[in-house]
Amino acid sequence: MSLLEEGIATGNVLPTGRKEKHSIDNVTRDFDIYRIKCDLLFYNDQNDRIATWVSEYNAAQDADLLALGREEYNGAIEGFIVESNPGALKKTEKSIALRGQLRPGIVLNDGRVIDGNRRLTCIRRLARQNNEAGWFEAAVIDDATGSDPKRIKLLELAIQIGEEEKVAYDPVDRLVGVYRDVVKNHLITPAEYGTATGMTEAEVKKLVDRAQFMEEFLEFCQAPEQYHLARALKVDGPLGEFGRVLKKYGNKRDQQFVKRAMFSNMVVQPEGDITRYVRDFGNVAGTPAEADFKAAEQQAMSELLEKMGPGPLTREKVSELRADRDLVDSFSRAGDRAREVVRRSKLMDTPAKKSAECLSDLNKILPEMLDVLNATELSKVRANLVAVRNKADELIGEIDDRS
């Protein structure tokens, strides 16, 4: 279907006479704005936000959302958009009811909505309330983009993430998109993702690593590609610590163990700030606490795996596990013991480190450096050195008393 050709011929697409600038394939040009009947449009299934909702629908209904008819598909996605942020949607809906649609969306010539999901949702809802046809204002990209999944994705990224003043993506939604499009399906390269979103190569690499950790976490939960679970558990923060933590462990066997331990703690969440809690795993590496820490974590993980059971984790099951005080306490004790040993080790190391640093700094003062100082400056240096000597004598006395 050609939205413009057929829509204009049937009166379902009407030119407004207005134009709006957009950059497509790095070329900025003016696009005509049209009023389009809502029933000609459909939500973009390649949108990263929608991907998590599709996974939730498929898991709950044991069905394929993408196989539904257009109106049923649109109805399901509309429901997810409303549920995701009902307060914000209500404000947008009220604004459109009072002032009309102030900012046009962007659609492809097959009716796919690339930008404007929330505005379209509000207009659809208002139209039903008023028992009238809904009209969505948008620029129409009238080339072959609609038949090219890669160009659709790059366009969606450039508009939704690359342009300024857009509503921020949920971090997990971004990870889902990176995993599907860059890692799993190889639809676009990391370099192309960076170009479309304005990110550096290093930033994209970190995002790719985090997306891979997310999928491994879902596999640990026996819920591969159940992205709605990752979004509900807000896994982006702790996953961002994984790279730094794993570098502290020298071999792959230790890294795999620690990774599973961090996954387990993310499920149970023994403390409110799970990101900080996971970060502490790196502090244990190479300390006297490491062996006991691993043993305690192994025991806690065994309890968790037994209580998880054979099926995929759900949000309800996670809530049940987090309410199990015996299980939570097992993980808390493992982490608390390790942190206490690390704290004591640092306290014991501090006097030796500080005294070594002091000696190193004093060795940097060469006698010939004193030749360029005037009497006042020499007096200050002498006073400081006398104070250092007195403090050193005091500490030496304390050490002698303890020996």
Side-chain angles (χ1 to χ4, degrees), residues 182-351:
V182 178
V183 180
K184 181 185 176 184
N185 299 326
H186 304 289
L187 182 65
I188 56 177
T189 66
E192 288 171 330
Y193 188 97
T195 300
T197 59
M199 297 175 66
T200 66
E201 184 178 344
E203 289 171 333
V204 175
K205 185 182 184 308
K206 287 181 180 178
L207 207 57
V208 168
D209 289 344
R210 198 176 299 190
Q212 290 176 308
F213 288 139
M214 177 194 68
E215 187 57 35
E216 289 183 61
F217 171 71
L218 291 175
E219 289 171 0
F220 173 83
C221 295
Q222 303 175 76
E225 299 191 14
Q226 298 299 302
Y227 303 123
H228 57 95
L229 179 64
R231 187 181 61 201
L233 299 184
K234 302 184 186 302
V235 302
D236 175 70
L239 291 180
E241 301 297 326
F242 271 44
R244 286 188 288 272
V245 170
L246 294 176
K247 285 179 182 177
K248 301 286 186 71
Y249 292 86
N251 60 68
K252 289 186 177 181
R253 183 177 179 181
D254 282 346
Q255 289 175 350
Q256 283 299 113
F257 174 84
V258 171
K259 191 189 298 182
R260 287 175 62 82
M262 290 191 289
F263 287 157
S264 299
N265 280 269
M266 287 166 60
V267 170
V268 176
Q269 196 170 350
E271 286 192 9
D273 186 355
I274 193 63
T275 299
R276 183 193 62 77
Y277 195 85
V278 163
R279 188 182 302 139
D280 286 342
F281 277 61
N283 297 329
V284 181
T287 71
E290 185 176 338
D292 288 343
F293 170 71
K294 288 178 181 176
E297 285 289 339
Q298 180 62 64
Q299 182 177 346
M301 278 194 287
S302 297
E303 293 178 37
L304 170 63
L305 293 173
E306 183 178 346
K307 292 181 177 182
M308 280 173 57
L313 273 187
T314 61
R315 281 180 286 182
E316 293 73 22
K317 182 63 176 178
V318 170
S319 296
E320 180 184 320
L321 292 169
R322 290 179 176 180
D324 186 330
R325 290 315 311 169
D326 290 338
L327 181 62
V328 173
D329 288 345
S330 293
F331 282 96
S332 293
R333 286 193 298 270
D336 289 346
R337 283 201 300 269
R339 278 193 293 275
E340 180 61 21
V341 173
V342 170
R343 186 185 69 82
R344 289 181 181 178
S345 297
K346 287 182 177 179
L347 285 175
M348 289 188 290
D349 284 346
T350 297

Side-chain angles (χ1 to χ4, degrees), residues 16 19 44-45 58 82 87 106 124 126 215 248 251 256 269 280 308 319 347 367 388 403:
T16 66
K19 294 180 181 290
N44 175 25
D45 58 282
N58 291 348
V82 173
I106 300 175
R124 282 168 53 92
L126 289 168
E215 187 57 35
K248 301 286 186 71
N251 60 68
Q256 283 299 113
Q269 196 170 350
D280 286 342
M308 280 173 57
S319 296
L347 285 175
V388 169
S403 52

Side-chain angles (χ1 to χ4, degrees), residues 47 61-62 86 142 158 173 233 260 277 305 347 372-373 377:
N47 181 287
Q61 304 295 329
D62 192 24
D142 55 351
D173 288 339
L233 299 184
R260 287 175 62 82
Y277 195 85
L305 293 173
L347 285 175
V372 299
L373 302 182
E377 291 168 335

